[in-house]
Amino acid sequence: MAVCVAVIAKENYPLYIRSVPTQNELKFHYTVHTSLDVVEEKVSAVGKALPDQRELYLGLLYPTEDYKVYGYVTNSKVKFVIVVDSSNTSLRDNEIRSMFRKLHSSFTDVMCNPFYNPGDTIQSKSFDSIVSAMMVQSS
Amino acid sequence: LSIFICMADEALFQFLHNEVIQYVNTTESGETENGRCVSKLENMGFRVGQGLIERFTKDTARFKDELDVMKFICKDFWTCVFKKQIDNLRTNHQGIYVLQDNKFRLLTQLSAGKQYLENAPKYLAFTCGLVRGALSNLGVKSIVTAEVSVMPACKFQVMIQKM
């Protein structure tokens, strides 16, 4: 389903980034990095919006020829970015949303782990396996 | 039954909190003992606050502004941790907020007289850290202090640090 999943800290450095191994990793890092500007833009626009638009899920950030980039920002300003293959047209908004929800609740568990220092890279196995599950479904 | 479970929950936290204070107090000895004890408790609270806010804000909408964040701390956050809301929230609209709790849970077991007044800072340090950690994780840097004049009532002062 997803070709790249990234978690980005409040201060805009990556906490976690993983992409499908067969493809160009650097390109995904670049894609995720570029998406941060769009996230910023959306979040600052949301401040003035109606209460029902103050959702954590930001929706489609931008489509490129090959990929679609989706974003999600938690209240603690941590960003989640999912990159999806454009050829995959069967994917609905709802499914993306639930993927983000899963990521978020797993991230919450990581944060509540007493051995995890907030701001460190995520090395949790359970988080890893959730991301793996999201990528496996694509093939 | 649920009432008893709920009560047991609260009791656990209270007893643990008391023990932590005792423990930190006995392990820190020296002239600056009191200051270090308080900052140690404060740091523990900070980490707990960070974790808690991650849990509590998982399903809430994005906050509008600083005041919105403070209201969340006074209502939802306080209710989850201390089973009651903050009684009074005041602000000068320039980054200082005063949160007043007329019956602060962690002080209710102490005598209402003046007897233990000098011990009060130790019982408030963890909570100061808790608030600071919560705010910090929501992107608001602050300094949190607490003061007690009459026993179960206390005031937390939050000074927002502009970046």
Side-chain angles (χ1 to χ4, degrees), chain B residues 5-45:
Chain B
I5 290 169
C6 183
M7 275 166 71
D9 264 0
E10 287 171 49
L12 267 178
F13 170 56
Q14 282 193 6
F15 283 125
L16 184 63
H17 181 255
N18 292 345
E19 284 308 312
V20 167
I21 290 170
Q22 281 298 322
Y23 176 75
V24 172
N25 215 14
T26 50
T27 50
E28 295 291 330
S29 50
E31 299 103 65
T32 54
E33 158 200 353
N34 227 352
R36 235 192 300 156
C37 171
V38 164
S39 76
K40 224 175 187 181
L41 289 166
E42 217 259 350
N43 284 334
M44 286 182 197

Side-chain angles (χ1 to χ4, degrees), chain A residues 51 54-56 75, chain B residues 57-64 68:
Chain A
R54 296 198 341 239
E55 217 193 338
L56 303 178
N75 273 311
Chain B
T57 62
K58 198 157 79 81
D59 300 311
T60 59
R62 207 184 308 286
F63 298 114
K64 270 206 302 279
D68 214 24

Side-chain angles (χ1 to χ4, degrees), chain A residues 10 46 54-56 58 73 75-77 101 104-105 107-109 111-113 116 118, chain B residues 47 50-55 57-64 68 135-139:
Chain A
K10 208 187 337 228
V46 158
R54 296 198 341 239
E55 217 193 338
L56 303 178
L58 297 175
V73 182
N75 273 311
S76 50
K77 311 281 189 295
R101 292 226 140 249
H104 190 180
S105 67
F107 174 74
T108 314
D109 292 340
M111 264 304 280
C112 292
N113 176 355
Y116 173 77
Chain B
R47 178 63 180 89
Q50 277 185 314
L52 277 181
I53 212 72
E54 205 65 58
R55 273 265 142 88
T57 62
K58 198 157 79 81
D59 300 311
T60 59
R62 207 184 308 286
F63 298 114
K64 270 206 302 279
D68 214 24
L135 287 173
S136 139
N137 209 3
L138 292 173

Side-chain angles (χ1 to χ4, degrees), chain B residues 52-101:
Chain B
L52 277 181
I53 212 72
E54 205 65 58
R55 273 265 142 88
F56 292 161
T57 62
K58 198 157 79 81
D59 300 311
T60 59
R62 207 184 308 286
F63 298 114
K64 270 206 302 279
D65 49 17
E66 208 175 83
L67 190 64
D68 214 24
V69 170
M70 287 314 288
K71 280 185 194 158
F72 177 83
I73 297 283
C74 291
K75 288 185 184 157
D76 305 76
F77 186 75
W78 219 259
T79 313
C80 287
V81 183
F82 301 113
K83 310 281 179 257
K84 78 187 276 291
Q85 292 185 10
I86 280 285
D87 295 298
N88 192 351
L89 168 67
R90 275 182 295 168
T91 174
N92 67 352
H93 295 290
Q94 277 162 25
I96 296 182
Y97 295 85
V98 178
L99 286 65
Q100 187 178 330
D101 192 333

